[in-house]
Amino acid sequence: MQAARRHVAEGRRWVVDLDVEKFFDRVNHDILMARVARRVKDKRVLLLIRRYLQSGVMVGGLVEPRAEGTPQGGPLSPLLSNILLDDLDKELERRGHAFCRYADDCNIYVRSKRAGERVMASVSRFLERRLKLKVNRDKSAVDRPWNRKFLGYSMTWHVRPKLKVAVESVERMKGRLRSLFRTGRGRNLRRFILEELGPVLRGWINYFRLAEVKGIFEELDGWIRRKLRAVIWRQGKRVWRRAKRLMLRGLADERAYRSATNGRGPWWNSGASHMNEAFPKAYFDRLGLVSLLDHHRRFLRTT
């Protein structure tokens, strides 16, 4: 990602975003094995890899032989994809292009839209003729780098761009968290935070530690705390329980009772002043909630 940002900072303000259509499903076995054989001379290893590629797939309860593609999720598949697409890397280097590739995701950085369209056409022909791979025309595009994402990241439009978390990555994370919150409504809050939320949030912020735009982490932290306040509100169930809990958290009796009887739903109350005052950030910090913004700041201090 640092290389991608450097290419854009050098004036390559257009990107050819290539998406290979169903890459892991359509890899040609003969072409792939020919590339593997350039590096592996042991025939027993080659036979083992061939059998791995041809291992059957379960369709409707029956095992069918695999004529093309690699097993998705297998530990060997990413390595084999790099071996196959090494030809693409060498071709792009020969042409003098600035590019970034990870497995089947490839971005090529150019200085104009017209140049990008030429590169898109020529590289698509190369992939189809040399490697028998088809470019997905609907998902591939020549566009500004800040309008596209690469490995979950995007970047700002500034002359010296900054890396940021792509909008799609944030929405995907929110979707995953929503399903967790649904399962955590009837559980002990501390245990839910430590056992369910903690590992997910740590893994996510570790992956996006290179991001330089911090606003999204602050926004997502606030959204997570609001969702937790909604869980707390639901757990109260009855008016007197909610009022008593607000009193125990320091609210005046009259205000606590008025808040508990406002007739609003959990999401509205989770964003209201009485819940924010009763359950501030410090409360969730004591429960062990991972703060994305705080973790990101620690990453910046250590780099």
Side-chain angles (χ1 to χ4, degrees), residues 147-159:
N147 293 331
R148 309 295 294 182
K149 66 181 179 69
F150 181 59
L151 303 180
Y153 283 87
S154 186
M155 61 183 71
T156 64
W157 50 266
H158 301 90
V159 175

Side-chain angles (χ1 to χ4, degrees), residues 24-25 52 66 69-79:
F24 289 102
D25 292 333
Y52 168 80
R66 185 193 302 273
T70 64
Q72 291 196 41
L76 195 58
S77 295
L79 175 60

Side-chain angles (χ1 to χ4, degrees), residues 234-260:
R234 285 190 176 94
Q235 288 179 344
K237 293 185 179 179
R238 299 186 182 277
V239 168
W240 65 268
R241 286 183 181 174
R242 291 169 179 165
K244 183 178 180 180
R245 194 165 193 176
L246 290 173
M247 293 175 196
L248 291 174
R249 293 297 306 162
L251 267 65
D253 293 1
E254 182 183 351
R255 185 184 178 196
Y257 184 77
R258 189 170 64 250
S259 300

Side-chain angles (χ1 to χ4, degrees), residues 98-114:
F99 69 96
C100 294
R101 185 185 66 79
Y102 183 86
D104 60 325
D105 292 327
C106 182
N107 279 1
I108 307 168
Y109 298 89
V110 295
R111 297 184 184 275
S112 69
K113 185 175 183 180
R114 181 176 296 180

Side-chain angles (χ1 to χ4, degrees), residues 3 42 44 71 74 88 105 135 187 192 202 214 227 251:
D42 192 322
R44 293 172 299 176
L88 174 62
D105 292 327
V135 173
R187 298 183 53 186
F192 171 70
R202 286 192 187 90
K214 66 179 182 179
K227 293 291 286 186
L251 267 65

